[in-house]
Amino acid sequence: MADRPNFVGRMWYDTVFWSSFTFFTFGFSIRRSGWKNMPLRGPVLVLANHQSMFDPVMVGLSSRRYLSYLARKNLFEQRGLAPIIRSLNAIPIDRSMGKDGIQAVLDALGQGQAVLVFPEGERTQDGSVEPLKAGVSLLIKRVNCPIVPVGIAGAFAAWSRHMKVPKLSPLMLPPEASTIAISVGEPIDPLRYQNMKRDAMLDDLHRALVAQHADAERLRRK
């Protein structure tokens, strides 16, 4: 699907957006900052820390444009889930972010899309921003578009990988640890990493995500 979906695609995406916005506002007291940092046009690589299954929706709610998402290939084999994630611009990749996954992201960027990637590769074990997967450096070296770091806070307490069901923090009640906030950082010029060695690049991107995570943590309703 191109950067701007067709009419039916926009209607469906917008319906999911506003229903999700209502649910997370009243159910998890969601707060957002940095809305204007997301470029309105052209390809964008969006990098976010990964705390929960909510994260793709959280970042989508903090973006002023349609996003494409990466999803594990096996999710496209689930009869009920596959049509939904396809309709929301999901891109199938291997868990390891191998060559096929990198090429899929580059193809989507080449079509002018904004693509969301979780460079940790999996949900965090303890809520912190974990080290980034080495394969991400291969992707970064090949992109020539803005890189936008996004921090998510509170989603680990809301629905971590260790929980079977989410823990709500309703807007009308005193805040719990599961209130959620998202901070969108300023775009990073990819030329920054052109001559940077892999470890230095990954460290720099990790610091950017840690900084946005900290901003989101300060923003959360407490």
Side-chain angles (χ1 to χ4, degrees):
M1 188 177 289
D3 175 48
R4 185 172 176 80
N6 59 28
F7 177 76
V8 174
R10 294 198 305 271
M11 290 292 291
W12 170 237
Y13 194 108
D14 291 347
T15 298
V16 174
F17 180 99
W18 288 111
S19 58
S20 298
F21 179 78
T22 301
F23 172 73
F24 283 102
T25 296
F26 288 97
F28 295 92
S29 307
I30 188 174
R31 292 179 175 177
R32 308 170 297 169
S33 69
W35 177 271
K36 293 183 178 180
N37 287 330
M38 186 68 69
L40 282 174
R41 298 177 183 84
V44 180
L45 180 62
V46 183
L47 301 181
N49 64 307
H50 202 1
Q51 293 199 332
S52 81
M53 293 290 285
F54 287 148
D55 295 345
V57 179
M58 295 295 97
V59 180
L61 293 178
S62 304
S63 172
R64 55 180 182 169
R65 62 183 295 181
Y66 300 100
L67 295 183
S68 295
Y69 306 85
L70 301 186
R72 297 194 308 273
K73 284 183 177 179
N74 63 333
L75 296 179
F76 289 81
E77 300 170 1
Q78 300 182 20
R79 183 175 302 177
L81 182 60
I84 296 175
I85 60 177
R86 286 187 187 278
S87 70
L88 295 175
N89 289 3
I91 301 171
I93 65 163
D94 294 320
R95 179 187 291 271
S96 60
M97 190 64 178
K99 291 182 179 179
D100 290 346
I102 292 173
Q103 190 58 53
V105 173
L106 293 173
D107 289 345
L109 293 173
Q111 297 173 23
Q113 297 183 33
V115 183
L116 170 60
V117 172
F118 296 107
E120 294 162 280
E122 60 183 1
R123 287 168 290 168
T124 177
Q125 293 285 348
D126 58 9
S128 65
V129 183
E130 297 186 351
L132 310 190
K133 296 297 185 182
V136 174
S137 65
L138 300 176
L139 173 62
I140 300 299
K141 286 289 188 180
R142 296 179 63 184
V143 301
N144 57 4
C145 64
I147 302 167
V148 176
V150 177
I152 303 169
F156 181 78
W159 196 16
S160 76
R161 63 188 303 164
H162 310 299
M163 300 164 61
K164 292 184 177 180
V165 295
K167 177 178 175 56
L168 295 171
S169 184
L171 183 62
M172 303 304 178
L173 297 178
E176 301 282 350
S178 53
T179 59
I180 297 175
I182 305 94
S183 175
V184 180
E186 294 184 0
I188 301 172
D189 189 333
L191 291 178
R192 175 182 179 89
Y193 302 116
Q194 190 172 43
N195 298 313
M196 193 178 290
K197 293 184 178 180
R198 185 187 72 179
D199 289 346
M201 175 201 302
L202 294 176
D203 287 344
D204 190 78
L205 288 169
H206 186 268
R207 285 192 294 271
L209 291 180
V210 168
Q212 292 308 311
H213 172 251
D215 286 349
E217 182 62 36
R218 286 189 287 270
L219 181 64
R220 280 198 314 113
R221 178 174 171 251
K222 300 177 181 179

